[in-house]
């Protein structure tokens, strides 16, 4: 297994500058352990468009650092950051280093690594190079072509960490410059293209974007990211379902009453007012992140973990989602409340904005396994608690054995897959309470990742980047699935009758609009409270 070392032959002039300003030590990095059972990625050059952006600073760099710590990057790795504005590589590197140190020290950050490992950081820093360039200028791509021709390996990943308006111009120029050509023209190497969310804003724009990209690259070269799939707790859904004999037999309409998928946030729009005004909670979260969670929980078992086997099952599932209508959704917008001012008071938000900051939906999956089982999805900003989870609620027991006892109602069994910020699972079930009388009490059994596994400062992009280097597309979205997902929500985004969906107010810091309760109440169900302790605890 190759481990990162300082002996890279690809060190450039600008690396030397970086080394000076970041006090790069000369000690070899070979001693860093590599992650058990994992092979290092092949050598490649990662070109990040949007080197100066938040995504690069907050997620890509911490993820690359974590991969370096685990010894999963090849010595021949090179990272070229492209952004508009002249800047010395040393300045960019110093900036990234400062940010990384801040995140590492911040307990609230997903990258709470404590003190940075100097060896690992130095290894990454030596491979960074900044390149000034406009995303819509042909010169940028000509210059990039020259730089890439000097790289030893022909393997290149183009990561579009830029605003969606730049996706098409960048892909077009990459294509026209010949930079997406694989095989001989790329020294026999691969050329992968990573596209971030938002992938379109509806089915028409998503189809148009897919068609544009596929003019210049083949589907096998395109890695469409949904960062929820990078979370270990999300990948673990397949392990919980398919590595245990306990769950799969009951994972069907005969036993499951409903499934609730929640992505509740306490934060507001965090300075992204102008983006959010055009996007809203529904577009931002439902047809992408929440549908991905739905896919993981509801897809049929694949025959293998081969990327196409998994993605075929996901595509089948997307196909089975019944198109949503306005009667299946509830929209809300936070108003002044215990958690602070209302959405309309946020910077870059119109004082009479009707953008939703909360969306709930009732979704049906029309197939043999799930017919008739409602999947309730909800997401929102400035809610009472941060909670991303999936709760699978089982049907009541078939026979009221306790009818002649003081027990008049039983609490339903619920398996909760906790994704963020708690990582683990919990199961609510009933037991006899201590004492001479037959009384049944609800209890909870739970598993927390930290109790069993060493805590990792994983930001969620590690596996995605590593898989992209290995050419494993399992966790990336295929064109057809993206389009089908947008298709299922088209009537909500562009209602043909009845005008735009009404947006109801909710207090900042609350459980969301009361109208969302009615969405479930009509089926005899209720949302699991966002603020709750373990069931039945003293
Ligand atoms: C992003 C959305 O895709 O996901 C944000 O644009 C949202 O609005 C974020 O806050 C949630 O991701 P996570 O991983 O923090 O739950």
């Amino acid at each position: 297994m190759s481990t990162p070392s300082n002996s890279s032959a690809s060190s450039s002039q600008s690396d030397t500058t970086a080394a000076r300003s970041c006090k790069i030590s000369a000690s070899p990095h070979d001693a860093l352990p590599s992650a058990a059972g994992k092979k290092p990625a092949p050598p490649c050059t990662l070109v990040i468009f949007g080197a100066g952006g938040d995504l690069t600073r907050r997620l890509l760099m911490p993820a690359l650092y974590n991969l370096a710590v685990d010894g999963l990057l090849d010595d021949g790795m090179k990272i070229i950051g492209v952004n508009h504005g002249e800047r010395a590589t040393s300045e960019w590197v110093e900036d990234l280093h400062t940010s990384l140190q801040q995140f590492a020290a911040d307990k609230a950050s997903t990258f709470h690594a404590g003190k940075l490992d100097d060896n690992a950081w130095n290894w990454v820093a030596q491979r960074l190079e900044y390149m000034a360039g406009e995303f819509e200028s042909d010169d940028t791509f000509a210059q990039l072509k020259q730089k890439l021709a000097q790289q030893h390996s022909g393997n290149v990943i183009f990561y579009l960490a830029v605003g969606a308006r730049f996706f098409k111009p960048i892909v077009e120029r990459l294509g026209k410059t010949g930079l997406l050509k694989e095989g001989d023209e790329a020294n026999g190497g691969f050329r992968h293209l990573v596209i971030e969310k938002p992938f379109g804003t509806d089915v028409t724009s998503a189809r148009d974007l897919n068609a544009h990209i596929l003019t210049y690259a083949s589907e096998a070269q395109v890695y469409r990211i949904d960062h929820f799939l990078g979370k270990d707790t999300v990948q673990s859904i397949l392990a919980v379902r398919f590595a245990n004999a306990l769950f799969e037999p009951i994972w069907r309409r005969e036993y499951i009453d409903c499934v609730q998928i929640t992505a509740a946030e306490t934060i507001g729009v965090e300075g992204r007012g102008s983006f959010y005004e055009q996007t809203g909670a529904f577009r931002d979260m439902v047809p992408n992140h929440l549908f991905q969670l739905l896919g993981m929980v509801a897809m049929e078992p694949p025959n293998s973990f081969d990327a196409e086997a998994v993605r075929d099952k996901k595509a089948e599932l997307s196909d089975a989602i019944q198109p949503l209508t306005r009667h299946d959704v509830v929209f809300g917008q936070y108003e002044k409340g215990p958690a602070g001012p209302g959405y309309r008071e946020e910077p870059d938000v119109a004082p009479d904005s009707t953008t939703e900051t909360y969306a709930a939906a009732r979704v049906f999956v029309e197939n043999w396994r799930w017919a008739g089982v409602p999947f309730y999805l909800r997401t929102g900003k400035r809610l009472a608690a941060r909670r991303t989870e999936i709760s699978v609620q089982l049907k009541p027991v078939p026979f009221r054995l306790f009818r002649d006892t003081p027990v008049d109602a039983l609490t339903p069994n619920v398996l909760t897959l906790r994704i963020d910020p708690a990582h683990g699972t919990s199961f609510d079930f009933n037991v006899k309470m201590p004492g001479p009388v037959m009384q049944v009490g609800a209890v909870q059994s739970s598993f927390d990742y930290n109790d069993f596994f060493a805590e990792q400062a994983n930001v969620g992009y590690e596996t995605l980047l590593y898989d992209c280097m290995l050419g494993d597309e399992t966790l990336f979205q295929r064109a057809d699935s993206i389009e089908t997902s947008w298709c299922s929500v088209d009537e909500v985004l562009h209602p043909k009758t009845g005008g735009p969906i009404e947006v109801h107010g909710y207090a900042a810091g609350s459980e969301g609009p009361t109208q969302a309760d009615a969405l479930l109440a009509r089926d005899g169900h209720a949302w699991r409270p966002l603020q709750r302790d373990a069931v039945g605890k003293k």
Side-chain angles (χ1 to χ4, degrees), residues 36 39 150 162 206 225 293 297 360 376 398 422 470 492:
K39 54 182 176 181
Q150 292 155 20
V162 292
I225 283 210
L293 297 183
V297 90
Y376 301 116
L470 289 182
V492 172

Short mmCIF file of all heavy atoms in Angstrom, two decimals, residues 36 39 150 162 206 225 293 297 360 376 398 422 470 492:
data_model
loop_
_atom_site.label_atom_id
_atom_site.label_comp_id
_atom_site.label_asym_id
_atom_site.label_seq_id
_atom_site.Cartn_x
_atom_site.Cartn_y
_atom_site.Cartn_z
N ALA A 36 -7.26 0.47 7.70
CA ALA A 36 -7.26 -0.99 7.59
C ALA A 36 -8.11 -1.47 6.43
O ALA A 36 -9.23 -1.04 6.25
CB ALA A 36 -7.78 -1.57 8.89
N LYS A 39 -7.25 0.08 0.06
CA LYS A 39 -6.08 0.31 -0.78
C LYS A 39 -6.00 1.80 -1.09
O LYS A 39 -7.04 2.48 -1.15
CB LYS A 39 -6.16 -0.52 -2.05
CG LYS A 39 -7.44 -0.33 -2.82
CD LYS A 39 -7.50 -1.21 -4.04
CE LYS A 39 -8.86 -1.05 -4.72
NZ LYS A 39 -9.15 -1.77 -5.85
N GLN A 150 1.89 18.26 -18.00
CA GLN A 150 3.14 18.03 -17.25
C GLN A 150 2.99 16.98 -16.15
O GLN A 150 3.95 16.61 -15.51
CB GLN A 150 3.61 19.33 -16.61
CG GLN A 150 4.06 20.38 -17.61
CD GLN A 150 3.94 21.78 -17.03
OE1 GLN A 150 3.88 21.97 -15.83
NE2 GLN A 150 3.89 22.77 -17.92
N VAL A 162 -18.48 25.01 -7.66
CA VAL A 162 -18.83 26.38 -8.08
C VAL A 162 -20.35 26.53 -8.10
O VAL A 162 -21.06 25.53 -8.03
CB VAL A 162 -18.30 26.67 -9.50
CG1 VAL A 162 -16.80 26.72 -9.54
CG2 VAL A 162 -18.83 25.63 -10.50
N ALA A 206 -32.87 19.94 -15.26
CA ALA A 206 -31.98 18.79 -14.98
C ALA A 206 -31.72 18.01 -16.27
O ALA A 206 -30.59 17.60 -16.55
CB ALA A 206 -32.60 17.88 -13.92
N ILE A 225 -22.81 14.47 -7.18
CA ILE A 225 -22.72 14.31 -5.72
C ILE A 225 -24.01 14.66 -5.01
O ILE A 225 -24.65 15.67 -5.33
CB ILE A 225 -21.59 15.21 -5.16
CG1 ILE A 225 -20.24 14.57 -5.45
CG2 ILE A 225 -21.77 15.51 -3.69
CD1 ILE A 225 -19.15 14.87 -4.48
N LEU A 293 -32.41 9.39 1.01
CA LEU A 293 -32.65 8.60 2.23
C LEU A 293 -33.79 7.62 1.98
O LEU A 293 -33.73 6.45 2.37
CB LEU A 293 -32.99 9.52 3.41
CG LEU A 293 -31.88 10.49 3.84
CD1 LEU A 293 -32.31 11.29 5.07
CD2 LEU A 293 -30.58 9.75 4.14
N VAL A 297 -33.66 3.45 2.23
CA VAL A 297 -34.51 2.70 3.15
C VAL A 297 -35.51 1.81 2.40
O VAL A 297 -35.94 0.78 2.93
CB VAL A 297 -35.20 3.69 4.14
CG1 VAL A 297 -36.51 4.21 3.65
CG2 VAL A 297 -35.36 3.08 5.50
N ALA A 360 -42.99 19.65 4.22
CA ALA A 360 -43.33 18.29 4.63
C ALA A 360 -44.04 17.65 3.44
O ALA A 360 -44.73 18.33 2.68
CB ALA A 360 -44.25 18.31 5.84
N TYR A 376 -43.44 9.74 5.25
CA TYR A 376 -43.60 11.17 5.57
C TYR A 376 -42.21 11.80 5.62
O TYR A 376 -41.34 11.35 6.36
CB TYR A 376 -44.28 11.34 6.91
CG TYR A 376 -45.65 10.70 6.99
CD1 TYR A 376 -45.90 9.65 7.87
CD2 TYR A 376 -46.69 11.15 6.18
CE1 TYR A 376 -47.15 9.05 7.94
CE2 TYR A 376 -47.95 10.56 6.25
CZ TYR A 376 -48.17 9.51 7.13
OH TYR A 376 -49.40 8.93 7.19
N PRO A 398 -51.31 -7.76 16.27
CA PRO A 398 -52.60 -8.10 15.65
C PRO A 398 -53.71 -8.47 16.65
O PRO A 398 -54.88 -8.44 16.32
CB PRO A 398 -52.25 -9.32 14.78
CG PRO A 398 -51.01 -9.88 15.37
CD PRO A 398 -50.27 -8.76 16.01
N ALA A 422 -26.79 12.82 16.21
CA ALA A 422 -26.53 11.54 16.87
C ALA A 422 -26.30 10.51 15.77
O ALA A 422 -26.92 10.58 14.71
CB ALA A 422 -27.73 11.14 17.71
N LEU A 470 -11.11 6.07 -7.23
CA LEU A 470 -11.09 4.64 -7.58
C LEU A 470 -11.99 4.32 -8.76
O LEU A 470 -11.96 3.22 -9.30
CB LEU A 470 -11.57 3.80 -6.39
CG LEU A 470 -10.68 3.70 -5.16
CD1 LEU A 470 -11.33 2.79 -4.15
CD2 LEU A 470 -9.30 3.16 -5.52
N VAL A 492 -45.63 19.84 -7.84
CA VAL A 492 -45.50 20.70 -6.66
C VAL A 492 -44.72 21.97 -7.04
O VAL A 492 -45.06 23.08 -6.62
CB VAL A 492 -44.77 19.95 -5.52
CG1 VAL A 492 -44.44 20.87 -4.36
CG2 VAL A 492 -45.60 18.76 -5.05
#
